[in-house]
Each structure stands twice: as structure tokens, then as C-alpha cells.
Amino acid sequence: MSKFTKCQKDNSIRYMILGTICGLGFIWLNTFMRQNSFDSSIGAFSLLRTFLVGIGCTSFVYVLFSNAVYEGTETISGNIKACCALSAAIGALLCMELVLEAGTFDLSLFGEGKEQVRLFLPYIKFIYDFWAIIIFPLNIQMLFKAMKKQHFCFGAIVTGSIGVIILTVEGHFIFENLGNNWLVDLAVMNTITLAAAVWKYAFSEKKIRKGNAFSSVIFYVLFRIGLLVNPWSRCDGTITGFMYPANWSEYMAGVKELVQNAAVFGTSKELMNSDFIREWLYRNNKLVLQLLFYGGWAAVAAFVLFAVFFVCIVIKMVGTYNGRNHKNYLIFVAAASVLIIRSVLGILYNFGFPYPVTLPFCGSSGIITDSMAFSLLLWSACENRFINDYKKIEETFVSVEDVLEPMDEYRVLDRDGFEYEEDFLYSKEEKLLKDVVDIIGVERKVHCSADWYSIDERDFCVFTEKNSDGRRFILEYLGDRWIPLSNSEEEIQRQLIEDCVTYNKPDCVEDMDDEREDYEN
């Protein structure tokens, strides 16, 4: 399996548990601060219920539709022009709407016109999250897979780049009226997703120079900046005016007084006696500053370490070691970017950095997005475990003599205790359920699952031990006898191992080499 990188030790379950503990920690702290500071009406378990429902609904949708959506994008990604045409068609509709909005018609799908067509304006913030985490990564995946299948030839690169630009402009115009801070957030998440696509599809292509691929990401960053500072953007000429529509000087006045008068431990007397700070904290429900008021710098330092630990766990959950073989990797990267941005920039925003974003699981509506993103990361870690097991299949093959005593033939019994016979054969068209059998040696027996294969009209069975080791060995079925392969049949053994690896490939694995061969044929 040389096409895969060496598999690392699998800690996926550990990351899932630690990530869940961190998520619950954010929710508990947010609930505690709300009830004791500015929102006593919130229930003790209301945020937790939202978190669990968000994870459950996202998991339900992912299990039902992830493969169907992927197959649909596969059909389109076979043709780079079809990918670009799909993006262009949506872009043309948006341009038509823009012309109408700028003309004599008082019509606006997303803006603030007198007669809005309110198709989905009340839900635009939820559509924003769905666009950033699902729609944009899926379309980028389609475009880059189409370019990859054509070996990133010049025509494919030009057409694919046009598709990326159209998709970017679409997102910018759709969410323009949410505010500049939303557009900047979208630009950051989209750039991270595009960079992951370049790393996954372009860096692994021998014909592509890594410097040129990196330059394409730089060009995309400059393009996004150009969109943000266009002549029609709402800005008073300052960064704070661009990012923060409210009274920034009033916000900073509260931050400065908190920072200057906070104690190392607990609440300082100056802050306790300040009517301005109590009123300011009630209006600005910032979790880090609430901690600074009640617990001092020690509490804030502990929270920062907690947030850094959470970011590390999020990065581990999405992983990079399986990125190029992970089917939905771009979606998981986009989901991780949401939580990382909110963890890092959310803390900086509390201390005066003009990037208005809530901390993870702390916004009234943001907790829904965060729960959706976290649920996707749980699936990412789970699928990483499947991929790691898949990469180890070849390493699990041993000789039957390493499992049982050397014998000329072995007895194989089915689950009812009868002699096991050839019931099912694997074919390349379908995967059948595996039988569970017992293989009898001289002094011991092993409990195994059985996979049938056929080569040159000879029937073989790959037996997998039903224990933590999962060792595999091969026996040939001759009528009513089970015999081991001879040392001279290395070629057949190699073919059986390759077939076993192919047939046991999980649905979450994306093998671009095989897909490109199918495309070229």
C-alpha cells in the first residue's frame, strides 16, 4: 500500500472524548455566567439541549445524505466545464437580481429595499453557516477534483479558477447585507477551505510546482481583500468602523477599565464599586471579560489555556495525516475553521481586537452552528479511525502457522458447529456479509470472520481473527478440505491481499488514482 503515507498511532477515540469534554466545558461556563450575570432567565440545561439536538440532527443528516451528495458531486466533477457552468448559472441569476436592485425596480432579495422578496431573508444567518461549512467546500471539491482528473492541464486550471471566482462572488453578494464583519469571517473560512483543497489535490500532483500552488492561495487572498474594500462597502475609513458597526469607543472604554483595575485573583474593589462597569458588563455579555471581573487574571489565564487545548484537539480531530484520502476532508476543515476562529479571535475580540465573533458554544444562535461544526468533527475523527484501520489491512496478514499449529489441512466450522462450506463469493460488483466461523487446529481454535475470493477458478477465504489484533490469514477451499497456501504461490497471495484491501475500503476513503483511471478510460 505504498500509495498511502505511513499510518500513525490511532488516537481518534481519545480526541473525540476530549473534544466533547471541552465542548461541554464551554457550555457549562457559558450557562453559569449567563445565569449569574446578565440572563437569569436561561435554563440550566437549555444550552446543553441545543448542543445535543444540534449534534443529533447533523449526524442524522450526515449519515443519510453524505454518500448521496458525494455521488452527485462525482457525476459533475467528471467535467470541469460542467462544474464551472453550474457556478456560472447561479452567478448569472444573482447578477440579474443585482441589476434589478440597482435600477428603477425597488426590489431586493437580500437587501433593505422597501418591497423585499422575503424568500429566506429571516434565515439568512443560518444559510450563511450552511454556505461556509457545506456548500462552498462541496463546490470547491468538485472543481479541484475535476482539475485533478485532467492532470491540472492549462485549460482545466483556467476553467476551474473561473468557477472558484464565480463561487466566491456569489457568496459575497448573497451575504453582503449581513455586515462587513460577516464578510470578513466568510473570507477567512473560505480561504482556509481553498488552501486545504490546494494542499489535498494540487500539492500531490507531480506536474504542479508547489510555489505556483501557494501563489494561487495568495492571489485568492488578495482577491477577497479586493472584494471587501470595494467602493460600495460600508466603511468610515477605519478598520474599527469597517468591522464594528456599533460605538467602538464605548466598548473600548469598558475593556480598558476592566484590564487596568482587574485583580490577579477574584474581583477587585475598584471594579465592584464601579457602576459603569456593572452596567457595561450587562450590555456586553463577553465571557472572558466576565471571567476577568469575577475571577481576575488567574481565571482568564486558565480559560486561555483551556481554549488553546480545545484548538489543539479540534486540529487533531480533523487531522492532516489522512487528509488526501479523506472523502469529505474539505467539509471537516471548514467545520474546524469555524471553531478555531471563534476560539482564537473570540478571545482577542474580548480584549479589543476589532473582529466581532463569539466564543465557541457561547452565542445565542451561534451555538447551533458550533454544534453542527462539532458534530462534523466527531464524524471526522470517527472516519479517521476507519481510514487508519484500512491502511493497516496489509500489515495484518500473517501465515496460518503464526495463528494455529502447522497442519496439512484445517477444519472450519460454521456458527452452528457444522462443516463450513462455500456459501458466498465476493465479486467486484457487490460486497456480501461476512460469515463467522471457528477454525480448528491441533490444540486450539480461533474465532474468525470469513471473506471469500476467487482467482483463476480457485476459491480462497481470508479469515480475520475476532479480537483486538485482527490478524488475517488465507486458506484455499478444495471441495471439502481447507489447506494453506504453499510458499511458491506468492503471486496469488499478493493478489488476494490486494483484493482484500480493495473490497474492505470504507466509504469515507477517496482514492484519486482509481477515480482518475476510471475517468481516463
Side-chain angles (χ1 to χ4, degrees):
M1 297 179 66
S2 57
K3 60 184 176 181
F4 292 123
T5 57
K6 185 178 180 179
C7 184
Q8 300 183 359
K9 180 181 179 181
D10 186 80
N11 293 309
S12 302
I13 294 180
R14 179 183 303 175
Y15 298 144
M16 293 170 68
I17 295 174
L18 291 175
T20 302
I21 293 174
C22 289
L24 294 175
F26 274 111
I27 291 172
W28 173 82
L29 187 59
N30 186 26
T31 302
F32 179 80
M33 284 299 178
R34 280 175 176 265
Q35 290 183 331
N36 290 275
S37 300
F38 57 87
D39 190 5
S40 58
S41 62
I42 189 172
F45 300 102
S46 59
L47 295 180
L48 179 61
R49 282 195 299 267
T50 304
F51 175 71
L52 295 177
V53 170
I55 288 180
C57 292
T58 303
S59 298
F60 178 76
V61 173
Y62 183 81
V63 171
L64 284 183
F65 298 108
S66 60
N67 286 333
V69 171
Y70 182 83
E71 294 300 328
T73 58
E74 278 294 286
T75 303
I76 301 176
S77 65
N79 190 332
I80 184 66
K81 294 182 180 179
C83 298
C84 189
L86 179 62
S87 298
I90 301 175
L93 293 175
L94 292 175
C95 289
M96 185 182 300
E97 187 276 331
L98 184 62
V99 171
L100 291 174
E101 187 171 342
T104 57
F105 297 93
D106 195 1
L107 173 69
S108 178
L109 284 175
F110 315 104
E112 301 174 354
K114 297 178 181 178
E115 298 177 5
Q116 293 179 0
V117 180
R118 297 181 180 272
L119 295 178
F120 53 85
L121 184 60
Y123 312 101
I124 192 69
K125 292 183 179 180
F126 297 104
I127 295 174
Y128 172 92
D129 301 322
F130 190 74
W131 177 281
I133 299 177
I134 304 296
I135 297 178
F136 186 85
L138 277 178
N139 280 272
I140 292 296
Q141 178 175 279
M142 281 195 303
L143 291 166
F144 272 81
K145 285 190 68 174
M147 289 188 285
K148 178 81 171 180
K149 289 178 180 179
Q150 298 184 34
H151 301 277
F152 284 93
C153 65
F154 179 76
I157 292 176
V158 171
T159 310
S161 300
I162 294 173
V164 172
I165 291 173
I166 293 173
L167 184 66
T168 301
V169 174
E170 289 170 8
H172 183 87
F173 279 120
I174 289 174
F175 305 108
E176 186 175 21
N177 282 285
L178 287 178
N180 292 329
N181 56 315
W182 291 77
L183 294 178
V184 173
D185 205 30
L186 181 66
V188 173
M189 288 188 288
N190 289 170
T191 302
I192 293 174
T193 303
L194 184 82
V198 170
W199 171 81
K200 178 179 181 179
Y201 294 106
F203 274 28
S204 58
E205 183 68 29
K206 296 180 180 179
K207 296 182 179 180
I208 296 294
R209 295 181 179 179
K210 289 182 173 58
N212 293 339
F214 183 76
S215 299
S216 66
V217 179
I218 300 298
F219 172 80
Y220 185 77
V221 172
L222 298 175
F223 178 73
R224 293 301 305 232
I225 294 175
L227 278 179
L228 291 171
V229 298
N230 66 76
W232 298 279
S233 61
R234 296 182 293 270
C235 179
D236 62 359
T238 63
I239 295 179
T240 55
F242 182 84
M243 291 291 294
Y244 194 85
N247 191 338
W248 182 253
S249 59
E250 179 183 343
Y251 177 77
M252 287 303 300
V255 172
K256 289 179 181 178
E257 184 164 344
L258 276 166
V259 171
Q260 291 173 358
N261 298 304
V264 178
F265 298 98
T267 307
S268 68
K269 294 181 179 179
E270 292 83 357
L271 296 179
M272 284 291 293
N273 297 327
S274 174
D275 294 333
F276 168 73
I277 284 298
R278 289 199 298 271
E279 178 65 24
W280 186 92
L281 285 174
Y282 184 81
R283 295 195 313 270
N284 298 275
N285 50 339
K286 303 297 183 288
L287 180 60
V288 177
L289 297 178
Q290 297 279 350
L291 278 175
L292 185 61
F293 178 82
Y294 288 107
W297 286 107
V300 171
F303 178 79
V304 170
L305 291 176
F306 174 75
V308 170
F309 178 75
F310 176 68
V311 169
C312 295
I313 293 298
V314 167
I315 294 173
K316 290 292 186 180
M317 289 174 74
V318 70
T320 56
Y321 46 90
N322 291 328
R324 291 195 172 105
N325 307 119
H326 208 155
K327 182 184 292 184
N328 296 314
Y329 185 68
L330 297 187
I331 292 178
F332 298 138
V333 168
S337 70
V338 172
L339 297 177
I340 292 173
I341 289 171
R342 297 195 177 188
S343 298
V344 177
L345 296 178
I347 293 176
L348 295 179
Y349 169 54
N350 275 254
F351 286 109
F353 184 74
Y355 195 103
V357 62
T358 59
L359 288 162
F361 311 104
C362 292
S364 300
S365 59
I367 189 173
I368 299 176
T369 304
D370 298 338
S371 300
M372 181 176 71
F374 186 75
S375 177
L376 291 172
L377 289 180
L378 290 176
W379 279 104
S380 174
C382 182
E383 291 181 357
N384 276 329
R385 183 173 178 83
F386 296 155
I387 296 174
N388 286 336
D389 291 341
Y390 169 62
K391 289 181 177 181
K392 295 176 182 177
I393 289 179
E394 188 173 343
E395 301 174 5
T396 61
F397 275 88
V398 297
S399 172
V400 64
E401 288 82 5
D402 296 331
V403 181
L404 294 168
E405 303 85 353
M407 298 174 61
D408 293 333
E409 62 180 84
Y410 296 85
R411 289 188 65 198
V412 181
L413 306 179
D414 61 21
R415 66 183 67 194
D416 297 321
F418 299 105
E419 295 291 335
Y420 183 60
E421 298 178 352
E422 178 188 2
D423 292 328
F424 302 107
L425 281 178
Y426 258 87
S427 66
K428 292 188 177 182
E429 287 74 27
E430 60 181 347
K431 296 179 180 179
L432 300 175
L433 295 176
K434 302 176 183 179
D435 295 327
V436 178
V437 299
D438 289 320
I439 303 178
I440 311 299
V442 176
E443 298 180 353
R444 59 187 297 259
K445 68 177 181 179
V446 290
H447 197 53
C448 300
S449 62
D451 293 340
W452 286 90
Y453 299 90
S454 180
I455 297 178
D456 297 332
E457 298 183 355
R458 297 171 62 185
D459 298 331
F460 301 89
C461 215
V462 174
F463 295 99
T464 305
E465 279 191 281
K466 303 289 286 186
N467 56 33
S468 58
D469 294 334
R471 291 182 298 178
R472 290 176 169 87
F473 55 92
I474 302 170
L475 292 177
E476 183 178 2
Y477 181 69
L478 292 177
D480 56 351
R481 301 171 57 219
W482 292 93
I483 63 173
L485 292 178
S486 64
N487 295 330
S488 61
E489 295 182 302
E490 294 182 357
E491 181 63 27
I492 290 181
Q493 183 171 353
R494 183 190 62 79
Q495 182 63 47
L496 286 170
I497 293 175
E498 291 181 357
D499 289 346
C500 181
V501 170
T502 300
Y503 295 144
N504 286 279
K505 184 175 75 172
D507 292 334
C508 57
V509 170
E510 178 182 66
D511 194 339
M512 282 303 302
D513 293 335
D514 293 342
E515 292 182 16
R516 185 153 57 183
E517 289 177 5
D518 295 338
Y519 169 79
E520 292 174 347
N521 293 333

